Amino acid sequence: MSLKRKIKFHLSLLFVFFLFASCGESKQEQQNVAESNRTKFNLNVGWKFIKSNPEQANQVGFDDANWEDISCPHTFNDVDTFDDLSHGHHDGEDNQWRGTVWYRKHFQLPDSNKGKKVFIEFESVRQIADVYINGVRLGQNQTGFIPFGYDLTPYFKFGEDNIIAVKVNNDRGDHFRDNFPLVWNHEHWHPTHGGIYRNVFLHTMDPLHITLPLYDNLETLGNYVYAENISETSADITVETEIQNDYSEDKRVSVITQVVDNSGKVVATSTTEKNISSGDKVIVNAITQVKNPKLWYTRHPYMYSVITAIKADGKIIDSHESPLGIRNFEFNKDSGFIINGENVKLHGWGQKPTNSWAGLGAALPDWLRDYTFQLMDEAGGNFIRWGHCASSPAEVDMGDKYGFVTLMPGVSGESQDEGETWDIRIKAFKDLIVYYRNHPSIFIWEGGNWAETEAHYKEILEVIDTFDPKGKRLMGNRRADVKNDSEGYVSIEIGTEGWEREYPDLPIVESEYNREEAPRRIWDTYSPDDYFYSHPNIKKNTYKLSSEEFAVRQADHWWNKMGKKAYHVGGANWVFTDGPHGGRCPTEVTRASGEVDAVRLPKEAFYALKAMWRPEPQVHIVGHWNYEPGTKKPMYVMSNCAAVKLYVNDKLIGTNNTPENGYVFKFDDVAWEAGEIRAEAFIDDALKTSQTKETAGEPAALKLTSITGPEGWMADGSDIALVDVEVVDASGKRCPLAKGRVNFTISGPAIWRGGYNSGKPNTTNNLFLDIEAGINRVAVRSVLEAGSVTITAKQEGVKDASITLESLPIELENGLTTRMPQVFIDVLTEEPLPAYTPEIPEYVPGVKNRSDLFKKFSYTGDGKAVLRTNMHWGKKAYTDLEYNYTHLPRYLNKAEYVRPSNLDNRYWARDQLQFIAGKKMHIYVLHDDTVPRPDFLLQDYKDNGDNVFVGEVVMSVFHRVAEAGESIIMAGNSDGDTPVNCRMYTVMAKQF
């Protein structure tokens, strides 16, 4: 999909001009080319939908007049998500409607299109889609995340009504581990938002045409574009174009390839002649050279376009546009990531490909996905790992244009799969690579979210070698370290939580670090509680972090796990946006681990990371400046500079040039005074930037502000307008401690979608909403009628506010439009190199504490675990507590052992501790008797009757024997609730 959607037609005209100017063709022929045989229609608008499974709904004569009118992207779970408190224990929201529904789309193509080929493309449907055209079944897709398509031509009626019918099912098994065969279709990974939740397109083209990159069902490849021999002076560009001749006669064609730069100028061209027999599908290779290429950097993601055209019988009959970014790169085991000779630390996020949004579910217009990318870019991100399934095509485009190195999976849960599940996964992996292989932002293909067998690794690499042999991309599986089979197949270690590398000869990138959670609404312990510490479920929370603590801890996680390690590529903070997947805190309706909440309002953690990661000098005072008289508290300032000065009402409070964890400048016992607090940041004693926060006055009024797409709010039945509602003082400043209910009224052609409150159930889709930390955000959806929509907000004790939005009409003819989904364009910027980097300790390659027994040891808890040898009485039990082992059974003397973090005593993960047995060995697990014993302990170990005291806590000793080479995986301390002051289990081992 083009990065220049808005100007695609103009770019095509420009291509035509340059093409025929160089070939000496006439102006008349240029105009004929502009009216080429290929047209791409937006098929999103105007579908019929029913939330049931009527018989014969696939038939042409079925009466759908009383069905609901909707447009895509659409989900039937927008009304039943973000409305239940999390279960905790890493379980996602499961109280969603599941079953079978139907969609029907009526449309026509004029008789003048007779003789053309007609294809339909779905960017994906969740979860199982059966597709029909005019009553004829075309096939089924089960991936839920990978584009697929069908050839409609044999069943299509030109000049008459055509009906696409899609039966969709989003059901799943009761447990994600038993959800065969679609293990990834489970709320543990992605809430089961069913529907045609991404875009649908219709393509018409000449029988002699460039194929679509839709390997599913069609088994066509489209274009394959890659750059080689890249230098400052030139780059060789190869384009492999698959052409299908569906004429009844052979064709002699000219395949014309042009490389167009970001300004629309043709910078390289080539022409290749080819004979194509009737019915044949052939690959035509073209090589051209770009002089003095502008390279794709994360900080300057310069994009070219490659336009390929087929000329036959003296005229252009088909053309296709592909993205191109020219870059050299290396992932180095000792020096990290290098692009075009520039060493870059990768920092960014993991993100769920459903991108769930409160009130909207997973069905988002592309510009809202773009809006999320803009926020990530603002915060200094340059890396994204989609977990654990593929993102949308629009989001891959956004990775290209915003400069995000992308780690791209196919479809996966968290298991090594066999049978039908593996067959679906490996086929989806082929589809993925064919569809996305031209995008320069993709640097790593993720084979899966868990280790595979040797046979499966060979299949994965065969797919890459077949469909992306020139991409030079790396391949890795998260948790590849759980199997020896991974040796020799993965080319990058995809780690989790960043403590140690397990493959000394491979580069390492983190896929999931900092999995803590904190809502936006609770500032700190010095501010009024907004139903957080006072929540009846707070004792069950794994995390009890305020927004301030969550922000400050960003530096701890980043700096100690990745930032200060010169060899470390960097990694993905897990995750960017709050969502109803796998939360650990039953005080929330989301997994509150995002730097922005579920309607993309930033938390203090967002600004903390911005202050750490942006290349320009940054400084951010964590929190607000509206405390009670007499308050004294520590104030935290985040900055990527060398020193910070803090002032209150122009009085210098202190100077700090020794930050914690690289970026945290702490000022203790700061006395609050009404007025201003200001932080100034310095590099080499020169003032580089500053920030001031002011005390807001008493709440006086509500303020409404709208956010729409770059072209406005479209009356297409699926576009969204956002409205922010703030409580402000008499001078217009937001009141950061304001809360309370706001009531809304709406009039005009629109559908109210509302917002949510993070700590309360049943707050979505209501005409009322609570303010959180002075602000909240609601959404309204357009209908097919354009017009004025007025929204009024009222809160007791302050002045009302109203806003009027205009939805804009779209051109729709016979159910079709050529207007593509809107996104932001012309976003290319060039960022500077980092102004300052905290001192990084010297890296000595190859130095690591190794164990003969605990091979490929890894620990995915929040705290740090370390390996130690020679256990005996008096050894320290935890990395974060001063308790020692006493009165050990004699058989544990001289054992090797794991010193975990007691911080993780209430944290659950399936793979919290893992290693491969280096030898046949005894394994001993010491488990707190006050904690319910987890399944892994009950299933694999036996209580041998001995006890060990750690402080005053009694630990029972469990035992098993492991064979050499066996993979040992231990989950969290308990699968259920645990006492507040319990102990984390510890592990010891001795050779058999």
Side-chain angles (χ1 to χ4, degrees):
M1 189 177 297
S2 171
L3 294 174
K4 305 177 181 70
R5 291 183 179 124
K6 185 177 179 183
I7 58 171
K8 184 172 182 180
F9 178 69
H10 301 290
L11 185 57
S12 299
L13 287 176
L14 187 62
F15 162 72
V16 169
F17 172 80
F18 280 105
L19 174 63
F20 284 96
S22 64
C23 296
E25 300 289 351
S26 68
K27 183 176 181 180
Q28 180 63 45
E29 284 177 308
Q30 294 174 35
Q31 294 171 348
N32 290 341
V33 172
E35 300 170 2
S36 65
N37 281 346
R38 180 181 288 237
T39 305
K40 182 177 181 179
F41 295 99
N42 181 345
L43 208 62
N44 284 335
V45 184
W47 288 71
K48 291 286 190 176
F49 169 75
I50 192 167
K51 199 173 182 178
S52 65
N53 185 17
E55 295 183 2
Q56 306 296 316
N58 62 312
Q59 296 301 311
V60 172
F62 186 88
D63 184 4
D64 57 20
N66 293 325
W67 287 18
E68 183 181 351
D69 293 312
I70 63 97
S71 290
C72 299
H74 176 266
T75 176
F76 45 90
N77 294 116
D78 53 352
V79 297
D80 60 5
T81 185
F82 292 93
D83 55 355
D84 296 307
L85 289 175
S86 170
H87 299 300
H89 315 301
H90 204 192
D91 294 324
E93 183 181 27
D94 57 5
N95 186 25
Q96 294 166 328
W97 192 92
R98 299 191 301 273
T100 300
V101 304
W102 281 87
Y103 294 84
R104 284 167 63 91
K105 169 72 176 176
H106 298 251
F107 66 99
Q108 292 185 19
L109 280 173
D111 281 336
S112 58
N113 288 275
K114 278 186 177 179
K116 286 187 176 182
K117 300 285 292 185
V118 184
F119 299 91
I120 192 169
E121 174 187 349
F122 294 89
E123 288 190 338
S124 58
V125 178
R126 288 197 70 200
Q127 179 62 55
I128 302 175
D130 290 278
V131 183
Y132 299 81
I133 173 72
N134 297 329
V136 179
R137 187 175 186 271
L138 296 171
Q140 183 183 83
N141 184 276
Q142 301 182 79
T143 70
F145 293 92
I146 311 294
F148 63 97
Y150 300 100
D151 184 354
L152 306 184
T153 312
Y155 321 105
F156 203 80
K157 298 181 290 187
F158 293 94
E160 302 179 44
D161 193 35
N162 290 274
I163 301 172
I164 295 289
V166 186
K167 181 173 73 171
V168 179
N169 180 277
N170 73 325
D171 211 348
R172 51 86 171 141
D174 288 336
H175 196 282
F176 70 91
R177 296 182 192 172
D178 305 318
N179 193 30
F180 190 82
L182 308 179
V183 293
W184 55 91
N185 181 40
H186 194 280
E187 62 275 359
H188 188 82
W189 316 119
H190 323 277
T192 54
H193 295 153
I196 307 178
Y197 75 112
R198 292 181 181 165
N199 298 313
V200 190
F201 300 110
L202 191 77
H203 302 269
T204 66
M205 59 192 73
D206 195 89
L208 179 64
H209 60 272
I210 300 165
T211 62
L212 297 169
L214 293 172
Y215 201 73
D216 179 87
N217 185 64
L218 294 175
E219 296 194 356
T220 53
L221 302 174
N223 277 1
Y224 182 36
V225 180
Y226 50 90
E228 295 179 299
N229 304 317
I230 302 167
S231 69
E232 290 184 0
T233 58
S234 66
D236 295 336
I237 309 301
T238 300
V239 183
E240 300 178 10
T241 303
E242 186 179 68
I243 300 175
Q244 175 78 40
N245 181 11
D246 283 334
Y247 280 104
S248 59
E249 67 270 8
D250 299 348
K251 290 288 183 178
R252 174 75 174 176
V253 302
S254 297
V255 180
I256 305 159
T257 301
Q258 293 200 336
V259 180
V260 182
D261 71 10
N262 191 263
S263 69
K265 179 183 177 182
V266 175
V267 295
T269 186
S270 71
T271 301
T272 305
E273 303 291 326
K274 186 75 173 180
N275 291 316
I276 305 178
S277 300
S278 173
D280 272 5
K281 184 168 58 177
V282 301
I283 301 288
V284 179
N285 288 348
I287 300 177
T288 188
Q289 191 175 82
V290 174
K291 298 293 185 182
N292 304 313
K294 295 180 179 178
L295 302 183
W296 190 98
Y297 290 83
T298 56
R299 63 184 182 88
H300 186 224
Y302 191 92
M303 291 294 296
Y304 293 86
S305 295
V306 175
I307 301 176
T308 309
I310 302 173
K311 185 178 181 182
D313 301 324
K315 61 181 180 180
I316 299 292
I317 59 172
D318 193 34
S319 65
H320 177 74
E321 185 180 355
S322 302
L324 170 65
I326 302 172
R327 75 279 193 276
N328 282 309
F329 66 93
E330 178 190 2
F331 290 89
N332 187 286
K333 70 180 181 66
D334 296 324
S335 54
F337 178 65
I338 301 163
I339 185 163
N340 305 319
E342 190 174 291
N343 194 281
V344 176
K345 185 71 88 171
L346 297 182
H347 33 68
W349 291 272
Q351 184 70 343
K352 293 292 184 179
T354 45
N355 271 309
S356 304
W357 191 298
L360 305 177
L364 308 179
D366 283 351
W367 80 263
L368 269 189
R369 302 178 188 277
D370 207 331
Y371 181 75
T372 301
F373 255 92
Q374 287 188 341
L375 288 169
M376 290 191 289
D377 189 54
E378 179 189 344
N382 60 14
F383 176 69
I384 190 165
R385 184 247 178 166
W386 294 101
H388 311 288
C389 297
S391 72
S392 70
E395 286 156 330
V396 178
D397 281 352
M398 292 161 197
D400 290 346
K401 73 180 183 181
Y402 290 110
F404 276 70
V405 170
T406 300
L407 171 54
M408 179 63 82
V411 291
S412 181
E414 189 174 316
S415 54
Q416 190 276 301
D417 303 307
E418 299 291 346
E420 185 180 1
T421 300
W422 175 251
D423 293 342
I424 295 170
R425 278 186 55 197
I426 194 64
K427 185 178 183 304
F429 194 65
K430 296 177 187 177
D431 304 338
L432 167 91
I433 290 180
V434 168
Y435 198 90
Y436 291 123
R437 59 187 176 171
N438 295 329
H439 289 273
S441 57
I442 298 176
F443 285 74
I444 307 168
W445 298 118
E446 182 173 305
N449 192 41
W450 198 254
E452 308 292 347
T453 63
E454 183 177 31
H456 284 179
Y457 279 125
K458 288 179 177 179
E459 285 190 70
I460 290 168
L461 292 178
E462 182 181 10
V463 169
I464 295 172
D465 290 343
T466 300
F467 296 109
D468 187 28
K470 300 293 185 178
K472 301 178 183 178
R473 296 176 171 100
L474 280 66
M475 189 283 290
N477 279 47
R478 177 181 167 271
R479 299 323 320 264
D481 55 342
V482 303
K483 281 196 174 184
N484 280 328
D485 282 358
S486 303
E487 294 278 8
Y489 295 103
V490 297
S491 49
I492 188 168
E493 180 180 348
I494 301 176
T496 300
E497 283 297 346
W499 292 119
E500 296 281 2
R501 69 182 346 153
E502 304 309 322
Y503 293 88
D505 297 325
L506 294 180
I508 179 171
V509 66
E510 291 304 316
S511 62
E512 302 178 15
Y513 85 89
N514 192 2
R515 300 187 282 192
E516 295 178 337
E517 299 179 42
R520 182 178 61 83
R521 70 183 186 276
I522 179 66
W523 285 102
D524 53 49
T525 56
Y526 297 85
S527 302
D529 186 20
D530 189 1
Y531 202 50
F532 181 69
Y533 298 115
S534 59
H535 199 291
N537 289 345
I538 189 66
K539 290 184 179 180
K540 297 181 178 181
N541 270 17
T542 300
Y543 305 105
K544 303 177 182 66
L545 300 177
S546 68
S547 184
E548 177 184 75
E549 293 170 300
F550 187 50
V552 171
R553 288 172 64 84
Q554 299 294 323
D556 183 6
H557 283 268
W558 165 254
W559 186 241
N560 292 303
K561 295 175 183 177
M562 281 141 287
K564 70 180 183 182
K565 298 175 181 177
Y567 68 86
H568 208 298
V569 167
N573 189 318
W574 196 252
V575 293
F576 184 65
T577 64
D578 290 355
H581 52 272
R584 292 185 171 93
C585 296
T587 60
E588 310 303 315
V589 298
T590 66
R591 178 175 183 165
S593 50
E595 274 61 61
V596 299
D597 70 9
V599 292
R600 285 24 173 202
L601 286 169
K603 304 177 186 179
E604 287 299 285
F606 172 89
Y607 299 108
L609 288 180
K610 180 178 179 179
M612 292 161 52
W613 288 351
R614 288 294 304 178
E616 311 90 348
Q618 301 284 322
V619 66
H620 177 71
I621 302 166
V622 178
H624 60 87
W625 197 237
N626 265 71
Y627 293 97
E628 290 292 323
T631 299
K632 283 188 174 182
K633 72 177 294 288
M635 292 300 296
Y636 298 92
V637 180
M638 309 293 293
S639 180
N640 58 5
C641 295
V644 169
K645 292 183 178 180
L646 189 69
Y647 299 81
V648 173
N649 293 327
D650 293 326
K651 178 183 177 181
L652 179 64
I653 299 301
T655 301
N656 187 337
N657 57 11
T658 55
E660 299 174 6
N661 298 316
Y663 304 94
V664 182
F665 297 83
K666 184 181 180 183
F667 297 86
D668 288 316
D669 296 324
V670 177
W672 178 80
E673 297 176 9
E676 294 183 347
I677 184 169
R678 183 174 81 255
E680 296 179 341
F682 297 80
I683 300 175
D684 295 330
D685 297 323
L687 177 63
K688 295 297 182 179
T689 188
S690 65
Q691 183 192 55
T692 300
K693 290 191 173 183
E694 300 179 52
T695 303
E698 291 298 315
L702 295 178
K703 176 183 176 182
L704 300 181
T705 307
S706 65
I707 304 171
T708 64
E711 300 171 37
W713 185 32
M714 299 300 164
D716 61 8
S718 63
D719 199 12
I720 298 297
L722 305 175
V723 178
D724 287 355
V725 53
E726 298 176 79
V727 178
V728 297
D729 66 9
S731 63
K733 292 192 295 288
R734 184 189 303 173
C735 299
L737 303 181
K739 53 184 181 178
R741 176 166 164 164
V742 174
N743 293 296
F744 299 91
T745 59
I746 181 171
S747 62
I751 298 172
W752 180 260
R753 302 304 302 128
Y756 85 120
N757 288 122
S758 56
K760 297 180 180 180
N762 304 312
T763 60
T764 60
N765 305 311
N766 299 321
L767 280 167
F768 56 86
L769 197 65
D770 287 351
I771 294 289
E772 295 184 353
I775 188 173
N776 214 325
R777 177 173 286 166
V778 296
V780 289
R781 177 176 288 139
S782 69
V783 295
L784 291 177
E785 176 189 353
S788 298
V789 175
T790 298
I791 298 169
T792 299
K794 297 183 178 184
Q795 186 181 56
E796 186 176 351
V798 298
K799 185 179 178 181
D800 302 348
S802 292
I803 192 169
T804 298
L805 309 173
E806 295 289 337
S807 62
L808 306 176
I810 63 165
E811 296 180 4
L812 190 66
E813 185 174 354
N814 295 320
L816 299 173
T817 180
T818 54
R819 174 186 284 274
M820 292 295 108
Q822 59 173 323
V823 293
F824 295 90
I825 61 171
D826 299 329
V827 300
L828 180 64
T829 59
E830 185 167 4
E831 298 173 353
L833 292 170
Y836 177 81
T837 301
E839 184 178 353
I840 295 176
E842 181 183 2
Y843 169 60
V844 181
V847 175
K848 182 189 173 184
N849 183 20
R850 296 289 175 183
S851 166
D852 291 333
L853 300 182
F854 295 99
K855 295 291 187 181
K856 291 190 173 62
F857 170 81
S858 61
Y859 182 79
T860 65
D862 279 344
K864 184 173 184 177
V866 295
L867 291 175
R868 290 292 181 262
T869 58
N870 195 20
M871 166 57 67
H872 56 74
W873 179 89
K875 288 286 189 177
K876 188 176 178 180
Y878 300 99
T879 58
D880 58 345
L881 291 179
E882 293 304 319
Y883 292 104
N884 298 328
Y885 291 110
T886 58
H887 307 294
L888 285 170
R890 188 177 298 275
Y891 55 81
L892 292 179
N893 284 340
K894 298 185 179 181
E896 297 190 18
Y897 67 102
V898 177
R899 185 180 292 168
S901 168
N902 196 63
L903 170 70
D904 294 323
N905 57 357
R906 310 185 75 197
Y907 176 94
W908 188 91
R910 175 194 177 192
D911 55 349
Q912 186 157 344
L913 188 153
Q914 178 276 325
F915 61 93
I916 293 175
K919 299 178 180 179
K920 186 173 182 179
M921 57 195 284
H922 298 278
I923 303 174
Y924 302 93
V925 178
L926 282 59
H927 191 265
D928 186 345
D929 280 345
T930 67
V931 176
R933 293 168 176 176
D935 285 345
F936 85 85
L937 201 60
L938 297 174
Q939 293 170 4
D940 300 334
Y941 297 78
K942 183 178 180 180
D943 187 342
N944 69 5
D946 289 332
N947 294 324
V948 172
F949 284 85
V950 180
E952 300 299 319
V953 175
V954 179
M955 312 283 281
S956 294
V957 181
F958 289 77
H959 172 259
R960 66 162 289 191
V961 174
E963 299 295 329
E966 187 175 349
S967 180
I968 309 299
I969 299 171
M970 300 182 185
N973 206 30
S974 176
D975 298 335
D977 292 332
T978 59
V980 173
N981 295 316
C982 67
R983 295 278 189 269
M984 176 64 184
Y985 67 77
T986 62
V987 181
M988 303 179 189
K990 292 187 79 172
Q991 185 173 343
F992 187 81

